[in-house]
Amino acid sequence: MATRIRLRRVGRKGQSYFRIVIADQRAARDGRFVATIGHYNPRTDPAKVEVNAEQALAWLAKGAQPTDTGGGDPPPG
């Protein structure tokens, strides 16, 4: 099972709030997950991110990969 570290959306319409979870890469965005390691609130100024670093490092050591959100610089060319 290939696992990913990604965001799971919770909250009402227009009141988004995200949990940082470990999930199978084939699972739906808000579907089944293995563990919750933190949360992210983009509505605060500045955005609030809380992650259990110990759990995150343990999952990275087990082979979990962070998802590519598409942010950052575009590819060259």
Side-chain angles (χ1 to χ4, degrees):
M1 172 171 75
T3 54
R4 300 281 182 172
I5 300 173
R6 63 184 186 190
L7 298 176
R8 177 176 191 232
R9 189 183 192 280
V10 293
R12 297 189 320 224
K13 180 178 177 183
Q15 302 278 324
S16 60
Y17 185 82
F18 298 89
R19 291 186 183 145
I20 303 169
V21 299
I22 308 298
D24 187 311
Q25 70 180 6
R26 297 167 293 178
R29 178 191 71 183
D30 297 335
R32 191 173 179 174
F33 63 96
V34 178
T36 302
I37 62 170
H39 61 271
Y40 165 62
N41 187 354
R43 295 183 303 119
T44 60
D45 187 27
K48 184 177 178 183
V49 178
E50 289 189 22
V51 178
N52 183 328
E54 186 177 299
Q55 285 183 341
L57 291 173
W59 278 104
L60 288 169
K62 293 177 189 176
Q65 295 291 316
T67 57
D68 180 20
T69 59
D73 298 325

